[in-house]
Amino acid sequence: MTVIGILIATIASFIASAALYAIPPVSRLVARTSTPRPGIPFPVQMLSVILRSLLASLLIAGLMAAADWHGAAVGALLGLTLSALPLILLFGGIVHENTAIPTAGVHLLDWIIKLTLIGILVGLFV
């Protein structure tokens, strides 16, 4: 059952992320303040988003299983707590790489949504 939860969470996370970045003000902000890496085709970029969602789903499932935690509420709390990790990385990007604060905020919001959603969905199956 956990594998099903991981797969559902991975797909839902990808869809939630795509929905966030499809919001016109968000997409304009990201397009205006980001520098895409040249030479990486769009399908490869999307595959990387799916892979990151899968890795996050596996991490949350593994932590929940190791701690013998169960349920959507616990999963949501774990996912929300793990949002501290992207916050740390994005803060470094702001300080060291001149990442625009609004853009970092969008990316952080994306991870908060994804990790919490993944936690809820994985928690339903763990």
Side-chain angles (χ1 to χ4, degrees), residues 44-125:
V44 174
Q45 292 178 32
M46 292 304 99
L47 185 60
S48 78
V49 174
I50 293 170
L51 180 59
R52 289 192 314 264
S53 294
L54 175 61
L55 291 172
S57 298
L58 289 166
L59 173 65
I60 289 175
L63 290 172
M64 289 186 75
D68 198 28
W69 293 339
H70 307 280
V74 173
L77 185 59
L78 176 59
L80 188 59
T81 303
L82 288 174
S83 298
L85 298 174
L87 171 63
I88 293 164
L89 295 172
L90 288 165
F91 184 69
I94 291 167
V95 172
H96 300 289
E97 298 169 6
N98 200 28
T99 301
I101 292 172
T103 305
V106 168
H107 295 316
L108 178 59
L109 177 61
D110 178 43
W111 276 107
I112 290 170
I113 292 167
K114 283 196 280 198
L115 289 169
T116 304
L117 179 61
I118 288 170
I120 290 167
L121 294 172
V122 167
L124 292 172
F125 291 88

